[in-house]
Amino acid sequence: TVYPNTFNNELNVVLPVESYVAVTDITGKVVLSQNVQGGGIAKISTSSLAQGVYIIKVVNNEGTITQKLVKE
């Protein structure tokens, strides 16, 4: 689960297991990526991102989740 959508300077990602998180802009360029520990809620700073539409991809041994997000 990723929230909120629409976001400002932080995203919360609920991760049951260790995961790789990547955020891409609308052109597909990776603008943020990191490995995140599982077992809770990871807070990911997005203050460096400009307003616009992004895609977040969360990959772990349970599968892949892709979600469209909007930064205000």
Side-chain angles (χ1 to χ4, degrees), residues 24-71:
T24 60
D25 64 16
I26 200 71
T27 68
K29 178 183 173 190
V30 176
V31 294
L32 187 144
S33 66
Q34 63 188 73
N35 288 312
V36 181
Q37 294 286 8
I41 299 172
K43 295 185 181 294
I44 298 174
S45 173
T46 57
S47 59
S48 64
L49 301 180
Q51 292 180 341
V53 177
Y54 294 90
I55 305 294
I56 187 167
K57 186 176 188 179
V58 180
V59 181
N60 58 43
N61 62 0
E62 296 179 352
T64 301
I65 297 170
T66 304
Q67 183 175 333
K68 183 170 94 171
L69 302 169
V70 177
K71 181 169 184 182

Side-chain angles (χ1 to χ4, degrees), residues 2-3 13 17 23 28 45:
V2 179
Y3 64 94
V13 184
V17 296
V23 177
S45 173

